Amino acid sequence: MSAPLHDLGVAELARRLKTKEVSAEETAKHFLARGQAHASLGAYLATDEAVTLAQARAADARIAGGDTAPLLGVPIAHKDVFVTKDFPSTAGSKMLEGYRSPFDATVVRKLAEAGAVTLGKLNCDEFAMGSSNENSAYAPVKNPWDTSRIPGGSSGGSAVAVAARLVPAATGTDTGGSIRQPASFCGITGIKPTYGRASRYGMIAYASSLDQAGPMARSAQDCALLLSALCGPDPDRDSTSLDLPAEDFTRELDGPIAGLRIGVPKEFFGAGLADDVRAAIDAALKQYQQLGARLVEISLPRTELAIPVYYIIAPAEASSNLSRFDGVKFGHRAKQHGDLLDMYRKTRAEGFGDEVKARIMIGTYVLSHGYYDAYYLQAQKIRRMIADDFQNAFKDCDVIAGPVAPTVAWKLGEHASDPVADYLADIFTLPGSLAGLPGMSIPVGFGAAGMPVGLQLIGNYFKEGQLLNAAHRFQQATDFHLRKPEGF
Ligand code: GLN
């Protein structure tokens, strides 16, 4: 008996669609039904069967016409940070409840051009601020490996949808780890490309100098397919998108990794790293040695500083970006209000959640006169040093490997009385984000309570192909990426 549709990866599904073994409409219906059957996970914020089926039928027509676009008929879903004209776009915030964008984000448009069919919009932390998805204004998302645990954040809905086989792949965004960390916590694969590879047009902004889009799927091969479709310059719409032609990231997948120098940063293996995570990471590194890679000890001496630096820069940029939500142009407007100033005040008090408000206040503070030099400017200087540390390390290695997070996914509500605990858990993803480097997470084992553990791979600028190659070779030799939570 052949595997059910939802167990197929993007590559295999695309092949069956192309050869008409299965239609895009049938495929879309299958996945929509799965989404409904597992609605209690909280992964979706919006679905629209009519829209999805219309897209699927259009894909079937393209297939019938001989179109060879790479993702024709493949269902995907988007983190609700990407604006879409056919679905509401909320960024997980009440501020944008019911908001309809007049256009599609570039990433959404490019994936649609490649033939992907949109199943809906996925839950996330409000304005992508968080590490547990508990900051969503709508519903917490549950980790399918243990529904009493968080899925990670902020792209928690994306990670859960892929892990629970509600969709073969999803988009995510990563500002300080939001693709890599939920991928790690849910046992899937995700890649954040070099800053600027993917257009930020239509990605609701959190911290513009850090925000980057990327795919989340079950394997490196599937991520490579999606990444190839969603990257590319967008000079008219995002001036920070890199002027590099779109690449075929599947090209390097099968290359040999014998002799690959894997840098292991000693700062990623300190006292804060949980034993179960350490054991899984050590085993993965051994596996790489068996595949012919060489481990090299390296140092990223400013790793700890990445936390204060990021939590100054990101809120600073957020406070500026979120000033556009004033009740005039977008989304929520307070019903009862006095003059204009009162309208702004009430709208923002009602529309934003606590974490977002906290960050707006921190950001405004560090940018204010008298504190700008002491905090913001200082943080920018250390940011540069962190980026330099990576360049120093890349003299001795090709790829850097270590944990994604210090622990496995924690329990829902576990950090409720200690919000800083969430910030500290970002320690291993923030340095690469501040440097703008590509990074990914691949499942490499299970820790306490059977929860997945991800290995982080960080590459030098524009080396996504090399990262995906290293990940793919690991996945050819192991089956962690094929395991799925019980009952799914
Ligand atoms: N956890 C980090 C934050 O809360 C990263 C979020 C992200 O990458 N979007 O800011």
Side-chain angles (χ1 to χ4, degrees), residues 79 81 125 127-132 135 153-155 173-182 206-207 210-212 310-311 314-315 355 359 422-423 425-426 429-430 433:
K79 182 177 184 178
V81 156
D125 281 308
F127 289 107
M129 298 177 185
S131 309
S132 71
N135 295 338
S154 62
S155 314
T173 64
D174 192 311
T175 302
S178 282
I179 288 176
R180 291 161 285 163
Q181 187 254 29
Y206 165 17
L210 294 151
D211 295 344
Q212 213 11 226
Y310 174 89
Y311 280 102
E355 181 64 24
R359 295 195 192 197
D422 274 18
Y423 299 177
D426 290 342
T429 51
L430 299 179
S433 295

Side-chain angles (χ1 to χ4, degrees), residues 24-38:
E25 187 172 353
E26 229 177 293
T27 307
K29 281 185 176 152
H30 179 83
F31 280 100
L32 281 173
R34 273 192 74 78
Q36 270 164 15
H38 296 290

Side-chain angles (χ1 to χ4, degrees), residues 22 88 102 131 159 174 215 218-219 225 228 262 265 267 303 307 314 332 409:
V22 63
S131 309
D174 192 311
R218 295 209 293 275
S219 68
L225 277 167
S228 307
I262 298 184
E267 292 80 3
T303 297
I307 299 173
H332 181 71

Side-chain angles (χ1 to χ4, degrees), residues 132-151:
S132 71
N133 226 114
E134 291 167 298
N135 295 338
S136 165
Y138 296 96
V141 185
K142 293 175 186 153
N143 193 317
W145 292 91
D146 173 351
T147 51
S148 70
R149 290 177 190 265
I150 56 125

